[in-house]
Amino acid sequence: MTSVKLKFRPSSHSEKEGTLVFQFICKRMVRRIASGYKIHRAEWSDETKWIVLPPLYSPRYEYLSVVSFNVQWELQRLERLLREQEKTNASFDFSAIVKSFTSHQNISDSVFN
């Protein structure tokens, strides 16, 4: 069984934005892939483990809405890749998953363009 989660890695400087990271765990091995999205500490909920959307009139609302949508889409894509890997291969190949996931980030199939 593989688990996939979205994590927030805050910047070492409190004023700077932190990075959203995809983390997946299989057979007690942990891998992380940076999403490319950055948000402020106040825009992350430790309770829900998700992006907190500000009020509609906020200048960050549109950006954070798009980030939330795109991250959800990428999480689903990563989960699909992991399920396919589990079905087809008895020995789990993390490097193949990471390569497959990140290579799609450079084509029109990805929302990270």
Side-chain angles (χ1 to χ4, degrees):
M1 178 77 182
T2 305
S3 71
V4 180
K5 296 178 182 177
L6 181 66
K7 298 285 187 171
F8 175 69
R9 299 193 73 186
S11 172
S12 57
H13 300 287
S14 59
E15 310 84 38
K16 288 186 146 188
E17 295 176 315
T19 304
L20 292 174
V21 177
F22 300 109
Q23 173 182 288
F24 59 100
I25 303 170
C26 183
K27 298 180 182 176
R28 298 183 186 176
M29 295 182 70
V30 179
R31 292 293 184 267
R32 292 178 187 93
I33 304 171
S35 71
Y37 290 110
K38 295 191 176 283
I39 64 172
H40 294 285
R41 177 73 188 101
E43 297 167 339
W44 178 256
S45 169
D46 286 329
E47 284 183 25
T48 62
K49 307 290 187 215
W50 200 255
I51 301 160
V52 176
L53 293 178
L56 283 169
Y57 54 82
S58 170
R60 297 274 294 171
Y61 180 82
E62 186 175 335
Y63 171 75
L64 291 172
S65 295
V66 170
V67 168
S68 182
F69 177 82
N70 292 350
V71 165
Q72 182 64 42
W73 188 87
E74 290 292 344
L75 270 173
Q76 291 172 355
R77 190 168 69 83
L78 181 56
E79 288 171 348
R80 188 174 55 249
L81 285 169
L82 291 167
R83 279 194 310 272
E84 290 171 6
Q85 175 77 17
E86 287 174 340
K87 286 179 187 176
T88 60
N89 198 346
S91 64
F92 204 83
D93 186 359
F94 281 105
S95 59
I97 291 294
V98 172
K99 183 178 179 181
S100 178
F101 183 74
T102 56
S103 69
H104 282 74
Q105 291 179 347
N106 296 326
I107 61 173
S108 60
D109 162 345
S110 176
V111 294
F112 284 157
N113 291 332

